[in-house]
Amino acid sequence: MTERLALFPLGTVLFPGLVLPLRLFEGRYRLLIADLLERPEPRRFGVVGIELGHEVGDDGARRLAEVGCVAEVREVAPRPDGRYDIVTTGTRRFRLKGLDRSRPYLQGEVEFLPEEPGSAPEAAARRVRRLFRLYRERLRAVGIAPGGDPDGPELPDDPVRLSYVVAASLVLDGHEKQRLLEAEDAAHRLAAERELLSRENRIMDALPTIPAGQFLDGSFNPN
């Protein structure tokens, strides 16, 4: 069974349980929020990744990711110039089944995805917690705080929630973030995060031997 959702294509991947603030300035997204404000709560729309194109402009997003995340609106602050500042929280994943272009903003027919723990997620969660704590310490050592928090996010006990907190906190490109969002269950997502954390920790092990300027200007390649 599908449901129709307004869509907000973004170059950022939203995960369930994570907060996403947005400033809306394009007319189509101001209309989207105005339409939502006319409806009872919960007010929500779908955030879906852009695989080809860019965020701004009517034809900016030329290809969208297959899996996205529902954003539930928590706060809305209208600005005098007509823009909106909003705060949303990711709630659940969906698979995009079809597009409707009849409104100025995109709408999609979506199928909601289950959140399953998968096979033996506790063992995978223990390894990911250990690797993530090491990763966080090494990021702090080079002056980076995951999510802007110097102490890092709290790590929940629940494997599903843990898999999303770690996914959101990893410093990765959009393709790898999207792959984590699309994982079929928490155990598969945690297994992928274990591989990514092991790789990133190996890279940071090498950083002290590399001139800092090479790292900061993007010229460092670990391969």
Side-chain angles (χ1 to χ4, degrees), residues 8 18 22 28 34 36 40 51 59 64-65 73 87 97 115 142 153 181 186 190 219 221:
F8 197 125
L18 278 298
L22 293 167
R28 54 183 167 165
L36 289 181
E51 292 190 337
D59 299 318
L64 300 178
V73 179
V87 178
K97 307 296 285 187
E115 295 296 352
V142 297
L181 180 69
L190 289 164
S219 60
N221 187 325

Side-chain angles (χ1 to χ4, degrees), residues 58-99:
D58 291 341
D59 299 318
R62 292 156 59 191
R63 187 173 70 232
L64 300 178
E66 185 178 351
V67 174
C69 181
V70 174
E72 187 168 313
V73 179
R74 304 296 191 185
E75 299 176 24
V76 178
R79 297 172 65 88
D81 60 5
R83 292 181 293 175
Y84 289 93
D85 290 335
I86 68 172
V87 178
T88 70
T89 301
T91 58
R92 61 191 303 194
R93 298 179 305 148
F94 61 81
R95 188 176 305 280
L96 186 59
K97 307 296 285 187
L99 290 175

Side-chain angles (χ1 to χ4, degrees), residues 129-191:
R129 284 192 191 93
R130 177 178 58 80
L131 288 167
F132 183 74
R133 290 188 181 105
L134 180 60
Y135 171 78
R136 190 163 57 191
E137 290 170 7
R138 288 173 173 170
L139 281 184
R140 280 201 296 261
V142 297
I144 302 172
D149 181 353
D151 296 320
E154 291 291 326
L155 296 181
D157 293 329
D158 176 68
V160 175
R161 290 181 56 217
L162 173 69
S163 74
Y164 286 131
V165 168
V166 171
S169 301
L170 283 168
V171 182
L172 300 170
D173 66 26
H175 173 76
E176 289 178 316
K177 292 261 189 180
Q178 183 67 31
R179 183 165 65 93
L180 293 177
L181 180 69
E182 293 182 3
E184 63 183 271
D185 56 41
H188 282 85
R189 188 173 300 108
L190 289 164

Side-chain angles (χ1 to χ4, degrees), residues 201-215:
N201 285 335
R202 286 196 301 271
I203 291 172
M204 285 189 282
D205 275 342
L207 288 180
T209 68
I210 298 167
Q214 292 185 30
F215 175 58

